[in-house]
Amino acid sequence: MRTHRERDRGQVALEYIGFIALLLLVGLAAIQLGVAAYAVNQAGTGARAAARAASLDEPKGLSPEAAVQAAVSGWLYPDPKGGIAGDQATYTVTIKIPSVIPGIPDFGTATRTSTMPKLQPHN
């Protein structure tokens, strides 16, 4: 005669598999949130680096675009835009937020802008 315990063994395995899938999804969502926050942070860093490089009267061989590439992680592919208007340098950096969740290709973009005063030459 079969006991109640023998019939429940298969059910426990199925419940465990379902729970593991849910845990993996929650884990990937947490990682995606971290990647998005990192992309926003890197966009701000790139915008500040570009505006700083453009604000210098005598650049040390680093264009604003090169400053963005040097300041931002290489796997994020920043898109800098901006220039000098009057006595200010303004740059905007846009980064596409990469997806770590399979089946969801797009999480939008992170955009940050930075403005710095054009430095006055010392006499």
Side-chain angles (χ1 to χ4, degrees), residues 96-99 101 103-107:
K96 183 178 181 282
I97 300 171
S99 174
I101 299 177
I104 303 177
D106 187 17
F107 276 95

Side-chain angles (χ1 to χ4, degrees), residues 15 23-24 36 42 49 60 64 66 69-70 79 97 109 122:
E15 289 174 1
L23 278 178
L24 285 173
Q42 289 290 285
K60 304 202 184 287
Q69 294 300 327
D79 180 25
I97 300 171
T109 58
H122 292 104

Side-chain angles (χ1 to χ4, degrees), residues 8-88:
D8 286 343
R9 277 197 303 196
Q11 179 182 350
V12 171
L14 286 175
E15 289 174 1
Y16 184 70
I17 289 171
F19 185 68
I20 291 297
L22 182 64
L23 278 178
L24 285 173
L25 185 63
V26 169
L28 282 175
I31 291 169
Q32 182 64 58
L33 184 62
V35 168
Y38 184 70
V40 170
N41 183 296
Q42 289 290 285
T45 299
R48 280 189 305 278
R52 186 178 313 116
S55 72
L56 299 174
D57 284 329
E58 298 174 15
K60 304 202 184 287
L62 198 60
S63 70
E65 290 77 16
V68 172
Q69 294 300 327
V72 175
S73 294
W75 57 276
L76 289 175
Y77 308 109
D79 180 25
K81 290 181 176 43
I84 299 170
D87 62 347
Q88 293 182 343

